Amino acid sequence: LNNRGLDIAVSGWIAGGSRFGVLLVDVDNFHLINEESGYQTGDIVLKKLSRLLDISVRDTDVVTRRGPDEFLILTHDDEPERLLRFATRLRDIVRESEELQDNPLTVCIGVTAFPLHELFDQTQARANAALKEAKERGTNNVCGSWEAIRPSP
């Protein structure tokens, strides 16, 4: 999905009163693939990763590319333990993927849930904070953030 498709999906889920999980996936040290193998190889790797994520989530989940080497996943689950297990399973699928064995990857994932009382931008900020914490711990990590981030006055 592109950003417009993501906006439509989020709006629909919110309008329907759905609570949902948000996973922000970032490829570890992706710049090294571009530097060592070239940008064309980097593009191929990202397409393979995108397909891998798509087939590794439920049909009702949403996967979208958010940045050069970053993906956002929405899932119809907002329970922290299940979301962390889901993110850990995705992390392991990426690391162990035969599809990516020519350019092995690891990812860090920030996980949170969308509560109905906050703006989606706040939820994305919390997912980003969790991703930042995961990356600070090194490569191949998953971190969750469940504390509400209050908007700046």
Side-chain angles (χ1 to χ4, degrees), residues 29-126:
N29 300 311
F30 183 72
H31 67 280
L32 294 176
I33 292 173
N34 282 336
E35 290 171 8
E36 294 173 5
S37 302
Y39 290 103
Q40 189 172 27
T41 298
D43 286 343
I44 292 168
V45 168
L46 288 174
K47 287 176 185 171
K48 287 180 179 180
L49 175 59
S50 179
R51 280 193 303 271
L52 181 63
L53 292 174
D54 277 336
I55 64 171
S56 300
V57 301
R58 294 176 293 200
D59 290 340
T60 57
D61 294 340
V62 175
V63 178
T64 185
R65 190 161 165 199
R66 293 297 283 184
D69 58 349
E70 200 171 86
F71 295 84
L72 184 96
I73 300 171
L74 304 179
T75 184
H76 282 289
D77 193 343
D78 69 338
E79 201 285 316
E81 284 186 32
R82 284 193 304 262
L83 287 170
L84 287 170
R85 280 195 307 269
F86 178 51
T88 300
R89 183 177 66 83
L90 286 176
R91 179 204 61 194
D92 293 345
I93 287 169
V94 171
R95 184 187 64 227
E96 297 165 5
S97 171
E98 290 183 25
E99 177 77 15
L100 297 168
Q101 70 184 359
D102 291 342
N103 298 96
L105 295 181
T106 59
V107 295
C108 283
I109 305 176
V111 184
T112 194
F114 175 77
L116 294 175
H117 67 273
E118 96 181 352
L119 299 174
F120 185 64
D121 287 346
Q122 293 170 289
T123 304
Q124 285 187 99
R126 196 170 49 256

